[in-house]
Amino acid sequence: MNAAVRKLVDAVDGASARHISVLGVSGTRLLLGFVGFMYYASQYGDRRYLFGPEGVFPWGEFTSKVQEAGTFSLYTVSSSGVWFELVFHTGMLAALAVTLGLGGRLGLAVHWVFLWSIYQRQPVLLDGGDNLAYLVIPMLLLTRCYDRFAMSVGLAKKIAPRVPPVLRSLSAPLHNLGVVAIALQICLVYVVSGLYKVQGKMWQDGTALFYVLRVSEFSLPGVSDLVYENDMLVFLGTYSTTIFLVYFPLGVLVPQLRPWAAVASIGFHVSIGVLMGLTGFALTMVACDLIFLSGALGVAMARTAPVLRRLQSHGRRERPGRGRPEKLPGGATAAVRAENVPESEGQLSTASTAPTGEVAAAEPSR
């Protein structure tokens, strides 16, 4: 018994000493930032009508509802048009910074505040993805989601040596806690949604998809009718949706099935985004599914990195002026070869070749 307990403790210690799914949470951060930015961009032309103090939702009524709900929004601070424009454009820039990987955890926290504020300003436009974003972004603050797909400014390298060793030792456990929290949240969303559907009569008799796609708000003209007019597609779509939602957590628990479950989930939500128009919700769910694909993404990037390097080297050789003899001190000459040009910092590394299907892909930090 003591040996078994010791083995379990050693396994837990080993897992807590390495950062899991760094590539996956970095993709999650990027895509969530993109969803926020596209929300601002898609409504930009009508921003004054939709969100402004003199818009369709009057500022006074909006402020009262926010106070009744006991929440907050930066748009309640003032009814000035200048204040509205400042908050709106600052929030848009914050979302863009998160997408590009600028600002670090502080920038991510600022983005969350502005995103919450604008979602509260016009709840009619929300499609459900906002609820998940509210929960997932604070969890991302625990993770090293800026280690990949980010524009490094070198600030982290300057600050890291000044951080006390005790705090640095908490980096991996806190990161892993954030990853596990996001994974559990996604599994909870699937299970609850699946169990609710199991209780519905239309989902039990296999006709739910027929009624869903006939709602004008959730239909794609010219495509949805091709689905709901086919009895077999309606039957298969209804039952496969329910089965997938209920059993998704089981697929995540099995390492060999984990990437396939994630790919199936991404395909499922892409279909929702296309057929039902719930683009924000679909992309938010896809962003969270990326944490289950971290190992597979690492393998794919490692395999494509040599090809990218060869293409880059070939481009340097074809560029005019490359490879010409260059005069050196003392009369010596040397051919400047493209292959000898140092690789730029931030190029893909082959080190992140974690086994396919592992959520806990051990990817090295920068």
Side-chain angles (χ1 to χ4, degrees):
M1 183 64 182
N2 292 335
V5 172
R6 191 179 303 108
K7 185 177 180 180
L8 178 61
V9 171
D10 291 341
V12 173
D13 288 342
S16 63
R18 58 190 177 92
H19 298 82
I20 64 175
S21 195
V22 175
L23 192 64
V25 292
S26 298
T28 300
R29 181 265 309 157
L30 184 154
L31 194 49
L32 287 180
F34 175 76
V35 171
F37 178 76
M38 289 306 299
Y39 183 81
Y40 284 98
S42 63
Q43 317 294 345
Y44 190 82
D46 299 319
R47 65 186 184 281
R48 296 185 183 91
Y49 174 74
L50 294 173
F51 310 107
E54 303 297 331
V56 65
F57 192 9
W59 184 83
E61 183 180 350
F62 157 66
T63 303
S64 300
K65 287 188 175 295
V66 169
Q67 292 175 351
E68 291 175 4
T71 181
F72 75 93
S73 175
L74 295 176
Y75 294 91
T76 63
V77 174
S78 173
S79 61
S80 168
V82 175
W83 175 256
F84 160 72
E85 295 289 352
L86 177 63
V87 174
F88 185 91
H89 286 89
T90 304
M92 190 173 184
L93 291 175
L96 180 60
V98 171
T99 306
L100 298 177
L102 297 171
R105 290 183 176 90
L106 178 60
L108 186 60
V110 170
H111 168 62
W112 184 89
V113 172
F114 279 93
L115 196 65
W116 177 282
S117 297
I118 197 169
Y119 282 164
Q120 294 294 315
R121 183 66 182 94
Q122 189 53 271
V124 177
L125 299 177
L126 305 180
D127 60 5
D130 57 295
N131 294 322
L132 190 59
Y134 293 154
L135 297 172
V136 170
I137 292 178
M139 298 174 187
L140 279 177
L141 293 174
L142 298 175
T143 68
R144 300 186 62 169
C145 58
Y146 281 84
D147 274 24
R148 303 290 190 274
F149 311 126
M151 298 175 63
S152 176
V153 295
L155 184 60
K157 294 181 179 180
K158 297 178 181 178
I159 297 178
R162 302 181 182 181
V163 177
V166 176
L167 294 180
R168 287 204 300 268
S169 65
L170 294 176
S171 174
L174 289 177
H175 168 88
N176 297 343
L177 177 63
V179 173
V180 172
I182 295 172
L184 291 176
Q185 180 61 52
I186 297 303
C187 291
L188 183 63
V189 169
Y190 281 118
V191 170
V192 172
S193 177
L195 292 179
Y196 267 109
K197 285 178 173 58
V198 168
Q199 301 176 52
K201 185 178 183 302
M202 290 183 293
W203 291 96
Q204 293 175 2
D205 58 24
T207 61
L209 193 61
F210 172 82
Y211 296 102
V212 170
L213 294 180
R214 287 183 64 86
V215 178
S216 58
E217 186 178 358
F218 303 125
S219 64
L220 180 64
V223 177
S224 297
D225 54 340
L226 297 178
V227 178
Y228 66 69
E229 289 178 357
N230 189 306
D231 294 341
M232 182 59 66
L233 290 179
V234 170
F235 178 82
L236 293 176
T238 301
Y239 280 111
S240 62
T241 297
T242 305
I243 294 172
F244 168 74
L245 292 174
V246 173
Y247 290 102
F248 174 82
L250 296 180
V252 170
L253 291 175
V254 181
Q256 291 77 10
L257 297 178
R258 192 173 297 142
W260 299 107
V263 170
S265 176
I266 291 174
F268 173 71
H269 287 102
V270 168
S271 300
I272 289 178
V274 173
L275 293 177
M276 301 180 64
L278 301 176
T279 309
F281 168 75
L283 289 179
T284 301
M285 292 298 297
V286 170
C288 296
D289 285 330
L290 292 179
I291 67 171
F292 302 114
L293 283 173
S294 188
L297 289 174
V299 172
M301 291 176 66
R303 289 176 178 174
T304 57
V307 178
L308 294 176
R309 291 196 186 97
R310 283 196 295 269
L311 292 175
Q312 190 177 42
S313 299
H314 179 73
R316 289 198 186 103
R317 286 195 295 267
E318 294 294 331
R319 193 177 303 164
R322 294 285 184 179
R324 293 179 180 177
E326 184 180 78
K327 290 286 184 178
L328 295 178
T333 59
V336 181
R337 297 180 57 83
E339 294 87 346
N340 294 330
V341 177
E343 292 179 350
S344 59
E345 184 180 357
Q347 215 170 18
L348 298 179
S349 171
T350 57
S352 57
T353 54
T356 302
E358 286 192 7
V359 174
E363 296 147 356
S365 59
R366 291 185 188 178

